[in-house]
Amino acid sequence: MALTFIFLGPPGCGKGTQAARLAEREGWVHFDMGSMLRAEIAAGGETAEEIVSYTSEGKLVPLPLIRDLVEKFFRDHAEDNVLLDGFPRSLDQAELIDEVLQRNVDAVVLFQLGEDEIRTRIIYRRFCPECGAVYNLRTNPPREDERCDNCGVRLSRREDDTEPVLLKRVRVYRQQTEPVVERYRECGLLRVVDASDDATGVEHRLKEVLGLND
Ligand code: ADP
């Protein structure tokens, strides 16, 4: 039976970075809902405008659109071990896993991070549009003013990494995603990781809670 892992946590908690590393190392498929939605927007298809009207305001994209993307993805990956990142973000999305995908969840990891740290990570986050390298102007700045160390290209900012949109994203997380956390806590699947350390430290803790060897 294919394994299913879920990573949950507030914006900026680093679950995307950890998910990419772990999936690569273990040979699992990384299902990254945020990137998938950004790819839909970039492709400019018929749903692009609707999706951007939600993401640009930090709101959850409606269930029917999410359901289509999830079903499409799992048609190709039904037999694979998957790591779900950015999904489920609400109780009705969690039901899709049981009812539509009919997958058992093996473990859920919550990456915990305080509000001040969330703000610093998101407001000062920049990325290179060329190679995708991620920087933080406060804690991990590029050598030359806002230019990528690898490509020399001017760094970009995610459209939803602004103060007002971040506030909304955090509110949505508290209201809609924390009930998902509680649901998995109640059924004994939740493992908690302190996400305030650097990426290597968090990776170490993550492997520990999942019982994976270094
Ligand atoms: P973060 O976790 O840092 O907020 P993501 O890249 O995971 O960033 O998500 C960015 C945005 O994409 C969210 O604010 C939301 O608008 C949309 N989104 C991502 N995942 C989902 C989901 N499962 N359901 C609905 N909307 C989503």
Side-chain angles (χ1 to χ4, degrees), residues 45-179:
E46 55 186 29
T47 56
E49 231 171 88
E50 189 182 352
I51 293 173
V52 89
S53 72
Y54 290 93
T55 57
S56 64
E57 296 201 2
K59 296 180 186 159
L60 291 191
V61 172
L63 191 64
L65 274 170
I66 296 294
R67 185 187 170 123
D68 282 352
L69 289 173
V70 168
E71 283 186 316
K72 200 161 115 200
F73 181 89
F74 278 92
R75 271 200 289 275
D76 298 331
H77 294 288
E79 309 298 326
D80 295 325
N81 296 332
V82 292
L83 203 170
L84 304 179
D85 164 15
F87 172 82
R89 278 188 201 242
S90 59
L91 286 172
D92 53 7
Q93 290 185 11
E95 274 161 27
L96 289 181
I97 300 178
D98 310 329
E99 287 162 17
V100 178
L101 303 179
Q102 300 193 331
R103 290 181 77 112
N104 277 328
V105 175
D106 294 279
V108 179
V109 179
L110 170 65
F111 293 80
Q112 250 172 353
L113 195 67
E115 305 247 337
D116 288 349
E117 185 76 4
I118 291 175
R119 189 179 171 281
T120 309
R121 288 195 190 179
I122 296 283
I123 299 299
Y124 300 104
R125 176 162 70 180
R126 300 289 185 275
F127 69 95
C128 171
E130 197 75 26
C131 72
V134 179
Y135 297 87
N136 185 290
L137 298 183
R138 281 270 173 96
T139 58
N140 174 32
R143 283 192 298 271
E144 204 191 316
D145 189 39
E146 299 217 22
R147 289 192 177 276
C148 179
D149 289 348
N150 309 322
C151 321
V153 170
R154 186 149 199 88
L155 299 179
S156 298
R157 188 180 192 186
R158 240 171 72 174
E159 206 193 342
D160 57 349
D161 277 353
T162 59
E163 190 100 42
V165 182
L166 174 63
L167 283 175
K168 181 76 186 172
R169 283 157 69 197
V170 170
R171 205 173 317 138
V172 166
Y173 176 77
R174 303 274 178 244
Q175 288 171 351
Q176 306 205 47
T177 312
E178 280 187 346

